[in-house]
Amino acid sequence: MTDKQLLNVTDGSTLGNIEIAPEVIEVIAGIAVSEVAGVASMRGNFASGVAERLGKKNHGKGVKVELTESGILIDAYVVMDYGISIPDTAQKIQDNTRQALKNMTALEISEINVHIVGIQMDGTKEEESETEAYS
């Protein structure tokens, strides 16, 4: 990897350099997003979908990290559960992601953008409650 792809987080230590790859930030952010209640899943691409069917879990799926002059930009693409408050859940996603990255990497994030790409309609709960009412 070249130096341009790594994020140097050394704070003047004489012991050596600490560099974090953007993929590591993607994984940390992906796990933090998926921990939030109301997030049904993360959007991935075709390759990540095939890999998951073969048993490989992709924790960075649905997260895009961009290192720019102004700082670190994170885009999270999520599918929400039906019936939850989207603004509240999106705020929780931003807070949880920022806190996880701060705790694990000591990095300050300039932007965390949450993109709602779908709503998960779960019909099994409604069907169970209807069958219990008739029994």
Side-chain angles (χ1 to χ4, degrees):
M1 289 187 187
T2 65
D3 289 333
K4 195 170 190 175
Q5 294 175 333
L6 298 175
L7 183 64
N8 191 348
V9 293
T10 305
D11 59 351
S13 173
T14 59
L15 297 175
N17 292 332
I18 301 170
E19 297 175 334
I20 300 175
E23 293 83 16
V24 174
I25 298 170
E26 286 178 1
V27 170
I28 294 169
I31 292 170
V33 170
S34 63
E35 288 176 346
V36 175
V39 175
S41 64
M42 306 281 291
R43 184 194 80 178
N45 56 20
F46 179 74
S48 65
V50 170
E52 279 190 355
R53 285 191 176 87
L54 296 175
K56 183 176 185 258
K57 187 74 174 156
N58 184 3
H59 292 290
K61 176 178 88 167
V63 176
K64 180 182 162 205
V65 173
E66 222 178 297
L67 306 176
T68 65
E69 298 285 329
S70 62
I72 301 170
L73 306 176
I74 297 176
D75 289 303
Y77 298 89
V78 299
V79 176
M80 297 281 195
D81 287 328
Y82 177 77
I84 54 104
S85 171
I86 290 177
D88 292 343
T89 305
Q91 182 66 49
K92 288 176 189 171
I93 289 170
Q94 290 173 327
D95 294 340
N96 199 34
T97 305
R98 186 176 305 279
Q99 192 62 40
L101 285 164
K102 180 100 171 134
N103 290 342
M104 296 180 79
T105 65
L107 295 172
E108 286 294 331
I109 309 302
S110 60
E111 285 184 25
I112 301 173
N113 302 311
V114 179
H115 304 273
I116 313 302
V117 296
I119 300 291
Q120 176 75 30
M121 304 296 281
D122 191 41
T124 57
K125 291 180 184 175
E126 293 173 7
E127 291 172 7
E128 287 174 5
S129 62
E130 287 176 12
T131 56
E132 288 174 6
Y134 293 117
S135 353

